[in-house]
Amino acid sequence: MHVIFSHGKESGPWGTKIKALAEIAKAAGHSVESIDYTHTQDPDERAAVLGKYLPTVDDNVLLVGSSMGGYVSIRNANPPKVKGLFLLAPALYIPGYERQEYFYPLNIDIVHGWSDEVIPYQNSMKYAAGYNVNLHLIEGDHRLNSSLDTVSRLFESFLAQWA
């Protein structure tokens, strides 16, 4: 599998979470890369960047997105190339974002912190309930850095589907 990471609005392509999760993916035998979206704050422009990039990679892609990167990832979750999504506090159901409905018949795991002060965890609950995807509500704020061990274990479990 090829794992493509999409960072959030205020972070960069190789922030703390992405570095940690990329090491886990590499250790499991997957190739990894992280797209740099820092040239724009517009979520739909970022989604277009990933959309233009995906046709250039081989099949069997897993998308991992954090916050706005979660929105970017889910906007581009087109089977059969994309096999699964791992979303961290995804920016779903945000006013002003072009897309508000997101259905994909994929393996999807969402991790969201109970204390998220940026994206309400209820948005992830709404999505998970509506589309029957795996939702992990854990201790932590929006960045989830204080819960990185838990996030890492959940990511390892998610990747095990493609071992």
Side-chain angles (χ1 to χ4, degrees):
M1 286 288 179
H2 189 62
V3 181
I4 300 174
F5 293 92
S6 292
H7 64 84
K9 180 178 181 180
E10 311 233 339
S11 61
W14 292 106
T16 303
K17 284 190 307 278
I18 291 177
K19 280 184 194 174
L21 299 181
E23 288 305 315
I24 291 167
K26 285 191 244 179
H30 304 290
S31 59
V32 301
E33 71 183 292
S34 187
I35 307 294
D36 186 350
Y37 301 101
T38 56
H39 64 281
T40 181
Q41 296 291 306
D42 183 281
D44 297 299
E45 283 182 34
R46 288 181 177 202
V49 168
L50 181 58
K52 289 177 185 168
Y53 177 73
L54 278 172
T56 70
V57 297
D58 292 335
D59 289 344
N60 300 322
V61 171
L62 299 175
L63 298 177
V64 180
S66 179
S67 191
M68 186 186 283
Y71 172 80
V72 168
S73 294
I74 204 165
R75 284 281 315 265
N76 286 284
N78 300 315
K81 180 174 287 235
V82 176
K83 305 297 185 195
L85 294 170
F86 189 80
L87 306 175
L88 303 164
L92 303 176
Y93 308 113
I94 303 300
Y97 283 29
E98 181 178 297
R99 186 92 171 264
Q100 295 295 318
E101 292 301 319
Y102 324 91
F103 172 70
Y104 300 98
L106 298 169
N107 292 319
I108 301 174
D109 275 31
I110 299 175
V111 181
H112 213 122
W114 284 109
S115 302
D116 191 328
E117 69 288 352
V118 178
I119 306 292
Y121 68 83
Q122 291 89 344
N123 293 17
S124 288
M125 289 177 68
K126 175 181 174 181
Y127 182 77
Y131 298 108
N132 195 28
V133 303
N134 297 319
L135 174 63
H136 310 277
L137 293 172
I138 64 172
E139 289 299 319
D141 61 12
H142 185 66
R143 296 179 58 145
L144 293 169
N145 286 338
S146 64
S147 303
L148 193 51
D149 288 343
T150 302
V151 171
S152 295
R153 283 192 302 275
L154 291 168
F155 187 56
E156 286 173 341
S157 177
F158 174 77
L159 289 177
Q161 299 172 71
W162 293 280

